[in-house]
Amino acid sequence: MVDAQTGPGTAGPRADTPTGKPPAPVSRRRKGARATAGSGRMAALLVSPTLLVLTIVVLYPTITALKESLYGPKGLDPKTGFISDTEPYVGLRNYADIFGEAGERFWNAFWNTTFFTVVTVTMETVIGVAMALIMHRAFQGRALVRVSILIPWAVPTAISALLWRWIFNSNGIANALIGQQVLWTTEGFHAKAAVIIAEVWKTSPFIGLLVLAGLQVISKEVYEAARIDGAGPLRQFWHITLPLVKPALLVAVLFRGLDALRMFDLPYVLIGAQKTSVETLSMLAQNEASNVRFGPAAAYSVILFLYVFLIALGFVRLLGADVVGDHGSPGKRKGEGGGGRGWFAGARRAEVTS
């Protein structure tokens, strides 16, 4: 018997479609595929200028330095007795020399670079967070305090080094304050201390500025709820402020760490070149290049590049979720959930929002 609503030549709903609707036409799917392909081509077209610039300023110099590191300095040609016009191919000898007697200067520069990075970034993080908390508070004259804190970051590094060189002079302000005659710009640990003081003074405001940006997005209601719940200032800082500014703080530490690994101009101007106490990898590479030893200089530059790359890769791999602000992992934090703590739950929501 034929249904009255469906004629004899009309097919009923297909059993393989849950809603009983016919599948989308093939032409519609093809249009969607073409639209996706068109969006991909447009994205590639928009990104291509950036990729071209990165290729010119990053990829090409890196490949050129890697190629140059395989050649040694020009020497005497045994056939003619004159200086050779071309650099001899030495393969990986420039890299192997750092593990021999000639590598003592390299390892000294390597440990100086690591020491300066760890000490300065640690001190800058503590001082920068304190600066951000001060700049974030509402008080009379806050604008003047903010400007005063940010001025060191605006001063060029070479000018800052000259300023501190005058302060650390034998008859300068530093010796007048401590009441002793210390030769800060000569060899010794005091030269390291001078570089650390000048670097921390110069770059702490950078971390403070980024942390201040993270503090601006924290809702005041979270602090009010914590205050009503009986949380003191220290507990508010540890459970609210620090977790919510953690992504901005980690980005600031990453940037400062990578910048400190390439330290060159401040110790070069403040202390001077070829000083064993403060010579970094960048200073070593520059000194080799200035002595027309381009092969070893390129090898040191490549090693420094790999060192910076590995540090950045390890930092992002270990703390990548915090750097990008991805806090949506399942599970509850300690103290979240039953028993109240509404202020902590509010801080958690504000953290996800930020």
Side-chain angles (χ1 to χ4, degrees), residues 88-110:
Y89 178 80
V90 296
L92 299 178
R93 192 177 70 185
N94 291 326
Y95 297 97
D97 288 343
I98 67 175
F99 297 102
E101 296 180 358
E104 181 179 356
R105 188 181 177 189
F106 167 82
W107 289 111
N108 174 72
F110 178 84

Side-chain angles (χ1 to χ4, degrees), residues 128-129 131-137 142 146 150 205-218 245 248:
V129 172
M131 288 180 174
L133 294 175
I134 293 174
M135 291 187 291
H136 185 62
R137 294 182 63 88
R142 182 175 63 173
R146 287 184 174 183
L150 295 178
F206 172 75
I207 294 182
L209 187 63
L210 291 185
V211 174
L212 177 62
L215 291 174
Q216 299 292 335
V217 301
I218 302 178
V245 301

Side-chain angles (χ1 to χ4, degrees), residues 68-69 71-73 94 97 284-285 288-289 292-301:
E68 185 68 27
S69 66
Y71 291 86
N94 291 326
D97 288 343
L284 177 59
E288 291 291 312
V292 202
R293 294 172 52 85
F294 299 111
Y300 297 148
S301 300

Side-chain angles (χ1 to χ4, degrees), residues 26 45 52 59 67 78 112 141 160 163 166 170 183 198 249 269 292 339 351:
V26 178
L45 183 62
L52 179 61
L59 185 60
K67 178 182 177 182
N112 284 341
S160 174
L163 172 64
W166 175 72
S170 59
L183 301 178
L249 180 61
V269 178
V292 202
E351 181 181 0

Side-chain angles (χ1 to χ4, degrees), residues 5-152:
Q5 296 182 358
T6 58
T10 305
R14 293 183 54 178
D16 56 348
T17 56
T19 60
K21 297 181 180 180
V26 178
S27 59
R28 186 181 303 174
R29 283 178 290 185
R30 289 179 179 176
K31 289 181 180 179
R34 286 197 297 268
T36 303
S39 301
R41 286 193 295 268
M42 178 58 68
L45 183 62
L46 296 175
V47 174
S48 57
T50 303
L51 295 179
L52 179 61
V53 173
L54 290 177
T55 301
I56 295 175
V57 303
V58 176
L59 185 60
Y60 177 74
T62 303
I63 295 176
T64 303
L66 183 60
K67 178 182 177 182
E68 185 68 27
S69 66
L70 302 179
Y71 291 86
K74 296 179 181 180
L76 293 177
D77 190 345
K79 296 182 179 179
T80 62
F82 295 99
I83 296 178
S84 176
D85 295 334
T86 59
E87 297 176 345
Y89 178 80
V90 296
L92 299 178
R93 192 177 70 185
N94 291 326
Y95 297 97
D97 288 343
I98 67 175
F99 297 102
E101 296 180 358
E104 181 179 356
R105 188 181 177 189
F106 167 82
W107 289 111
N108 174 72
F110 178 84
W111 293 119
N112 284 341
T113 302
T114 305
F115 175 77
F116 284 139
T117 300
V118 173
V119 175
T120 57
V121 173
T122 301
M123 296 178 64
E124 289 163 10
T125 301
V126 176
I127 298 175
V129 172
M131 288 180 174
L133 294 175
I134 293 174
M135 291 187 291
H136 185 62
R137 294 182 63 88
F139 57 90
Q140 188 175 3
R142 182 175 63 173
L144 181 61
V145 173
R146 287 184 174 183
V147 172
S148 302
I149 290 177
L150 295 178
I151 281 178

